[in-house]
Every structure is written in C-alpha cells, then in structure tokens.
Amino acid sequence: MTKRQQLYEGKAKKVFATDDPELLIVSYKDDATAFNGLKKGTIVGKGIVNNKMSNLLMKRLEKAGIPTHFTKELSDRETLVKKVSIIPLEVIIRNIAAGSFSKRYGVEEGFVFETPTIEFSYKNDALGDPLMDEYHAIAMKLATKDEIETIKKYAFGVNELLKAFWAECGVTLVDFKLEFGRLSDGSIVLADEISPDTCRLWDSATGEKLDKDRFRRDLGGVEDAYAEVMKRLTQHI
Ligand code: ADP
Ligand code: UDP
C-alpha cells in the first residue's frame, strides 16, 4: 500500500492517506507529551513498542469479537488501518483508582474498585479534554444514544479481555483510554491505540509502574518500562 500525503501530525503519531480512500497509514513517533502538551520529551523506541503492542492487542480483541481499525502491520512503526471518523470522546475505563480520579475524589492510588467505571472526556485540546457526561455528548450530537451504548459495551468488553490477558503477563490493568470511530457504513470500531501511553500498567508482584506515568512523574527508567511490558506481552501472546 503506497503512502500518500500526510493528513495530520498529532502528539504521538502521524497519519497518511493511501491510494485507498478507506485506508490510512499511521506512523508512531517517539515523541512524548503530558499535561495537555505542557511537558514534552522523547522516549526512545516508544513508537515501535506502541505500534506493535497496539496491533497485537487489537488482533486479539478482533478475534474475541470487538471490531477494530487494525488492518496490517507494515513496519516497526507503521500500520495500515481502516479510516474512521473519530468520535471526539476519550473513553476511560478504570479498575483501580489512579491519576485524575484519585485527585478529583481524594481516593488513594491503588484503591481497587467494586466494579469497573467508565467516563468520557470531550477530545478537545483547546478546552483541555474536559469530562463529559454521556447526555451532554448526545445533546452535542457527538454520538447517538445507540452509539454510546455500543461504545460502552465494547469498552467494558475490552476491559474484561485485556484485564485477563495482562494478568497472565503478571501485569495489572489499572485504567486505560480508548477512542472509537465510524466506518463509512456507520458501524462503530475501536480506533487509535492501546499502549503504555494510554494504559496504566502495574507489575502485579511489585506494583512498579510500567507505563507513561514514569515519564509524567519523572520516575526514570521510562524506556526500560516500555521494553519490559512489551517483553511480557510477546512472551504470552
Ligand atoms: P493527538 O491527536 O491526540 O495528538 P495522535 O498523535 O495519536 O493523537 O494522533 C493520531 C490521530 O489519529 C488522533 O487524533 C486519533 O484520534 C486519530 N485516529 C486514530 N485512529 C484513526 C483512524 N482509524 N482513522 C482516523 N483517525 C484516526
Ligand atoms: N489517558 C490517555 N490520554 C489522555 C488522558 C488519559 O491515554 O489524554 C489515559 C491515561 O494514560 C490513563 C487513563 O487514560 O491510563 C486515565 O487517565 P487519567 O484520567 O487518570 O488522567 P491523567 O492522570 O493521565 O491526567
């Protein structure tokens, strides 16, 4: 598949057109940002880990009945995906309190929830991705009620599948962010990426953080953490 013009450069990936109007090529960068772009840096090799991890996990999800945009891994950093119209909601699932949840509600990091939670943020950098109630999303015509129901079903499904899989790798899936989009026929698929940039992953034995929090919080050993989760994943997939 020939790579055509660059359509977009985001914080972590570049997106290119292809000869097929229904397909895009995404290219994963080593650039890292946090706090809505205020903190910037590089995590050497991150693009390769995120590309490969996302593809392995999406393939697994697809087999288990969750439709995804994944089409074909083209190289270490590049993947062919189905083009979607992104629904501008960050869909966040949590199993354990951390990050903004702990801060907002004064709950200690590590508090294990009774049941998983879901929340939406409006994907809008200028507004700082504010939390958004599903009624507000429907009111603003970002998604229909049926689409929100489908997204919730898929997101909780992804959580059950990934929680079990990461547990086999000795990793606890604390929380993660998903993005969904519409194909040209209107059906909803999982898009974007699933990686240590978008998930909190803790070593089940030691509680050590193996994700982007090492970068956000200046904990050091960022590259090693990404390499470690990738190693665990490839040993168990
Ligand atoms: P950001 O836009 O937040 O800086 P990235 O650097 O990851 O994020 O850029 C990738 C962009 O591509 C994101 O805006 C994401 O919503 C979008 N995207 C992901 N998957 C697809 C897809 N299958 N079709 C169209 N756009 C996609
Ligand atoms: N997350 C993400 N992109 C965002 C915001 C959050 O991938 O723009 C992921 C983050 O990595 C974590 C989960 O969503 O796994 C929940 O993040 P949280 O709301 O706790 O925010 P943070 O502490 O990252 O600001």
Side-chain angles (χ1 to χ4, degrees):
M1 185 60 61
T2 316
K3 195 158 91 179
R4 296 294 178 190
Q5 78 275 19
Q6 183 176 306
L7 301 175
Y8 177 77
E9 175 161 8
K11 297 184 286 293
K13 301 189 284 301
K14 293 179 184 174
V15 180
F16 297 88
T18 67
D19 294 334
D20 185 333
E22 308 266 359
L23 296 173
L24 297 173
I25 292 174
V26 289
S27 179
Y28 285 74
K29 307 190 288 181
D30 284 352
D31 299 353
T33 63
F35 314 120
N36 201 21
L38 281 176
K39 183 178 167 83
K40 289 192 176 71
T42 302
I43 302 173
V44 178
K46 170 174 89 81
I48 299 174
V49 168
N50 288 7
N51 182 39
K52 291 181 175 287
M53 183 179 294
S54 200
N55 293 343
L56 288 169
L57 294 176
M58 287 211 192
K59 267 193 262 183
R60 212 178 158 94
L61 292 172
E62 193 89 50
K63 272 200 198 133
I66 310 276
T68 79
H69 72 167
F70 175 75
T71 304
K72 187 173 188 263
E73 188 167 294
L74 301 174
S75 67
D76 275 359
R77 290 180 185 271
E78 292 189 335
T79 293
L80 190 65
V81 298
K82 290 175 191 152
K83 178 179 183 169
V84 301
S85 146
I86 288 281
I87 294 171
L89 292 172
E90 298 200 333
V91 181
I92 294 171
I93 296 278
R94 300 176 193 271
N95 297 304
I96 296 177
S100 69
F101 188 99
S102 289
K103 202 169 159 195
R104 187 176 318 118
Y105 299 116
V107 181
E108 194 187 339
E109 269 207 348
F111 177 88
V112 179
F113 293 147
E114 181 67 27
T115 51
T117 66
I118 190 163
E119 74 211 40
F120 302 100
S121 290
Y122 181 28
K123 219 174 116 60
N124 183 318
D125 281 341
L127 297 175
D129 298 342
L131 262 183
M132 182 174 263
D133 181 81
E134 67 183 69
Y135 287 92
H136 296 168
I138 296 165
M140 284 173 64
K141 301 188 182 179
L142 304 183
T144 65
K145 196 168 191 303
D146 281 354
E147 286 175 333
I148 294 282
E149 288 312 315
T150 302
I151 287 171
K152 288 202 282 193
K153 182 182 75 179
Y154 288 162
F156 282 122
V158 168
N159 186 42
E160 291 313 312
L161 292 160
L162 293 190
K163 214 168 35 174
F165 175 60
W166 278 117
E168 287 173 31
C169 306
V171 171
T172 303
L173 179 61
V174 174
D175 59 28
F176 56 94
K177 182 267 300 181
L178 300 175
E179 292 184 24
F180 292 88
R182 294 178 198 97
L183 294 177
S184 56
D185 68 2
S187 60
I188 301 283
V189 301
L190 178 62
D192 206 49
E193 67 179 273
I194 308 175
S195 72
D197 273 16
T198 62
C199 303
R200 283 197 171 91
L201 302 166
W202 293 354
D203 185 305
S204 306
T206 64
E208 191 190 357
K209 296 184 196 312
L210 299 172
D211 56 62
K212 195 170 153 188
D213 271 347
R214 300 207 73 84
F215 169 78
R216 292 191 190 99
R217 303 179 187 187
D218 294 319
L219 300 176
V222 189
E223 280 88 359
D224 288 349
Y226 277 67
E228 176 62 25
V229 271
M230 190 60 202
K231 191 179 96 190
R232 302 254 192 116
L233 179 98
T234 45
Q235 280 170 349
H236 286 87
I237 204 110

